[in-house]
């Protein structure tokens, strides 16, 4: 309780400081196309109150509940020639496209936080270390939040990555961390760059940016269209649901695979993080053939149980006859011909009761919750 009260007081103090800063002291700010996301003191109070009164029973896996991770190695990654994708954690992915490797939002640190002694901690290890990675054609960043832009990872990747591709102004962080300017490409929405046979296009998302109290929306956020000679992939980054998905689908679809944010959601901030039913609708709008839900399973960033995103989206996908891929971390996914995946989180939950409650009842509650929001 003391820790919670201290946290609330710190947050209130920070908000007071933020709102006392004169507007003229803020530099150029980026904005969304549809919703201008703002949080006033009332909004922040409601969010803090929701966190303080949350009665979750499974915010994270229990210590004995081990999330399955399939180890990766450079030798294994270099086998074959098909376009392949591997989920490393949260929204971090490794893919091989047209023979080259690409990293999406690489986060390898133990915590998604400005400091490594506090903040959201990993549920599982990464399937591969930075040292074991093959040479990377490009690292693609969606925005500057700590669960997507990891300073320690960027520094470790400097000698591994040929080019870093970011939305506008995000490159400033990379330059501060030692990445040479000539190896950074910054794009506005709808701009593209070709790296060999792969074209990367920055497309809109509905979110916000900032790594501190006084830098709100001073860097751009984006989703990405990643088009190779054989396959086309969409990477959502973070986003609330908006009409932009349909526009992207009409301009660049169909997609062989969509990587769609499905996690860290709540009605209080649905403008910037989709609810599961909205994630499924985004996939439909994008004209995706197969959907892989991301932004879940690694960090506790919201108020739902850790397995809730995967459980809800699985049932929604079945109801909409969508090919859903839920690979274990490190499990290979063939982009053109993905093999069926398993609901691995259910086995993790079956390892023991959840908070003294039988896991079957817990999963049944998740199913009831999903049924209510889908009607």
């Amino acid at each position: 309780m003391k820790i919670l009260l201290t946290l609330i007081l710190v947050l209130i103090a920070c908000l007071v400081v933020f709102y006392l800063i004169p507007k003229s002291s803020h530099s150029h700010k980026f904005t969304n196309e549809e919703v201008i996301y703002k949080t006033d003191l009332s909004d922040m109070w409601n969010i803090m109150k929701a966190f303080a009164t949350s009665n979750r029973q499974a915010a994270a896996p229990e210590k004995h509940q081990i999330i399955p991770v399939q180890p990766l190695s450079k030798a294994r990654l270099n086998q074959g020639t098909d376009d392949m994708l591997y989920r490393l954690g949260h929204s971090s992915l490794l893919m091989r496209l047209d023979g080259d490797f690409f990293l999406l939002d690489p986060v390898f640190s133990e915590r998604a936080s400005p400091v490594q002694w506090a903040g959201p901690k990993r549920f599982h290890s990464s399937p591969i270390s930075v040292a074991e990675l093959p040479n990377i054609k490009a690292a693609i960043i969606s925005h500057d939040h700590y669960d997507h832009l990891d300073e320690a990872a960027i520094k470790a990747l400097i000698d591994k990555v040929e080019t870093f591709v970011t939305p506008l102004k995000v490159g400033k962080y990379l330059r501060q961390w030692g990445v040479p300017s000539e190896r950074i490409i910054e794009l506005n929405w709808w701009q593209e760059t070709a790296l060999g046979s792969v074209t990367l296009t920055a497309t809109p998302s509905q979110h916000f940016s900032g790594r501190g109290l006084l830098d709100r929306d001073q860097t751009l956020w984006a989703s990405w269209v990643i088009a190779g000679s054989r396959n086309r992939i969409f990477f959502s980054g973070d986003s609330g649901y908006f009409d932009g998905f349909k526009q992207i689908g009409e301009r660049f679809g169909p997609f062989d695979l969509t990587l769609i944010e499905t996690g860290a959601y709540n009605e209080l901030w649905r403008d910037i993080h989709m609810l599961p039913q909205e994630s499924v609708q985004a996939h439909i709008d994008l004209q995706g053939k197969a959907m892989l839900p991301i932004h879940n399973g690694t960090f506790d960033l919201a108020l739902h149980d850790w397995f809730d995103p995967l459980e809800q989206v699985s049932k929604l996908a079945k109801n909409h006859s969508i090919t859903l891929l839920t690979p274990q971390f490190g499990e290979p996914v063939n982009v053109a011909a993905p093999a069926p995946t398993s609901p691995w989180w259910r086995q993790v939950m079956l390892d023991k009761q959840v908070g003294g409650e039988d896991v079957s009842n817990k999963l049944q509650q998740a199913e009831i919750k999903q049924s209510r929001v889908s009607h």
Side-chain angles (χ1 to χ4, degrees):
M1 181 59 70
K2 288 183 179 179
I3 294 175
L4 177 60
L5 289 174
T6 301
L7 177 60
I8 291 174
L9 289 173
V10 170
L11 286 172
I12 291 173
C14 291
L15 286 168
V16 170
V17 170
F18 179 80
Y19 285 104
L20 287 177
I21 297 296
K23 296 294 182 181
S24 60
S25 68
H26 292 250
S27 62
H28 169 75
K29 289 178 177 287
F30 293 96
T31 59
N32 291 307
E33 292 184 327
E34 291 185 14
V35 173
I36 307 300
Y37 179 69
K38 294 181 179 179
T39 49
D40 57 22
L41 290 173
S42 175
D43 296 325
M44 294 307 298
W45 172 251
N46 289 334
I47 291 172
M48 288 188 292
K49 185 168 64 174
F51 272 93
T53 58
S54 171
N55 61 353
R56 289 180 298 166
Q57 297 184 25
E62 297 181 18
K63 289 184 178 180
H64 66 279
Q65 293 176 325
I66 307 302
I67 289 183
V69 176
Q70 297 188 20
L72 291 171
S73 66
K74 190 181 300 184
R76 182 182 177 191
L77 291 169
N78 283 319
Q79 293 176 353
T81 58
D82 290 343
D83 290 347
M84 303 294 293
L85 181 138
Y86 308 84
R87 194 171 178 210
L88 304 183
H90 195 56
S91 296
S92 301
L93 301 110
L94 174 67
M95 67 174 66
R96 183 176 66 208
L97 207 57
D98 290 359
D100 288 320
F101 287 97
F102 297 82
L103 268 175
L104 307 181
D105 282 356
V107 174
F108 289 88
S109 291
E110 184 70 8
R111 296 179 185 269
S113 171
V115 295
Q116 288 302 297
W117 49 265
K121 188 177 181 181
R122 279 181 170 274
F123 301 159
H124 62 87
S125 60
S126 173
I128 192 170
S129 66
V130 172
E132 185 64 18
L133 284 171
N135 291 331
I136 304 297
K137 184 72 171 179
I140 304 165
I141 308 298
S142 65
H143 63 296
D144 69 6
H145 289 159
Y146 288 94
D147 55 326
H148 297 262
L149 180 60
D150 177 4
E151 177 181 353
I154 297 299
K155 289 178 176 178
L157 286 165
I158 290 175
D159 293 333
K160 286 275 186 179
V161 174
E162 181 178 322
T163 305
F164 293 82
V165 186
T166 78
L168 287 180
K169 303 299 183 181
V170 177
K172 69 178 182 180
Y173 294 112
L174 278 59
R175 284 185 282 273
Q176 291 171 8
W177 301 335
V179 179
S181 294
E182 61 270 19
R183 290 168 53 195
I184 301 171
I185 297 174
E186 299 181 66
L187 300 179
N188 202 348
W189 291 341
W190 307 115
Q191 290 182 332
E192 66 180 39
T193 187
L195 300 176
S197 60
V198 175
T199 299
L200 309 176
T201 305
T203 44
S205 64
Q206 185 167 285
H207 203 54
F208 72 108
S209 66
R211 291 173 72 84
L213 289 175
L214 306 179
D215 63 347
R216 177 72 172 264
D217 297 342
Q218 292 181 18
T219 65
L220 185 62
W221 49 95
S223 57
W224 291 92
V225 172
I226 306 166
S229 62
R230 296 174 293 188
N231 294 293
R232 189 175 291 258
I233 296 170
F234 176 79
F235 175 52
S236 73
D238 281 3
S239 183
Y241 178 77
F242 73 127
D243 289 340
F245 291 122
K246 193 170 186 65
Q247 185 180 8
I248 295 167
E250 291 170 349
R251 289 183 61 168
F252 296 99
F255 290 94
D256 298 280
L257 180 62
T258 66
L259 310 171
I260 303 291
E261 181 210 50
T262 314
Y265 45 76
N266 190 282
E267 284 284 353
L268 288 170
W269 52 83
R270 68 183 295 178
D271 283 346
I272 56 169
H273 286 295
M274 290 181 280
L275 301 176
Q277 62 269 30
E278 293 172 322
S279 298
V280 168
Q281 186 59 51
H283 167 80
I284 295 170
D285 292 350
L286 289 159
Q287 304 175 36
K289 297 178 183 177
M291 172 183 176
L292 195 157
I294 58 173
H295 208 256
N296 57 65
T298 301
F299 298 114
D300 175 27
L301 301 174
L303 295 171
H304 54 65
D305 291 331
W306 72 267
F307 60 84
D308 191 63
L310 294 169
E311 190 65 24
Q312 288 208 43
V313 76
S314 294
K315 294 178 173 63
L316 287 161
K318 182 177 181 181
N319 292 342
H320 289 82
S321 301
I322 289 171
T323 300
L324 187 74
L325 305 176
T326 56
Q328 296 180 10
F329 296 102
E331 181 178 355
V333 174
N334 188 307
V335 176
T341 54
S342 65
W344 55 265
W345 63 94
R346 293 178 184 168
Q347 185 57 51
V348 174
M349 299 306 296
L350 286 170
D351 285 347
K352 195 183 175 183
Q353 294 178 340
V354 181
E357 183 178 355
D358 186 88
V359 68
S360 62
N361 290 336
K362 190 66 179 176
L363 292 172
Q364 187 177 35
Q365 289 179 12
E367 183 172 359
I368 293 171
K369 183 191 300 181
Q370 184 275 324
S371 177
R372 287 173 178 167
V373 300
S374 61
H375 287 87

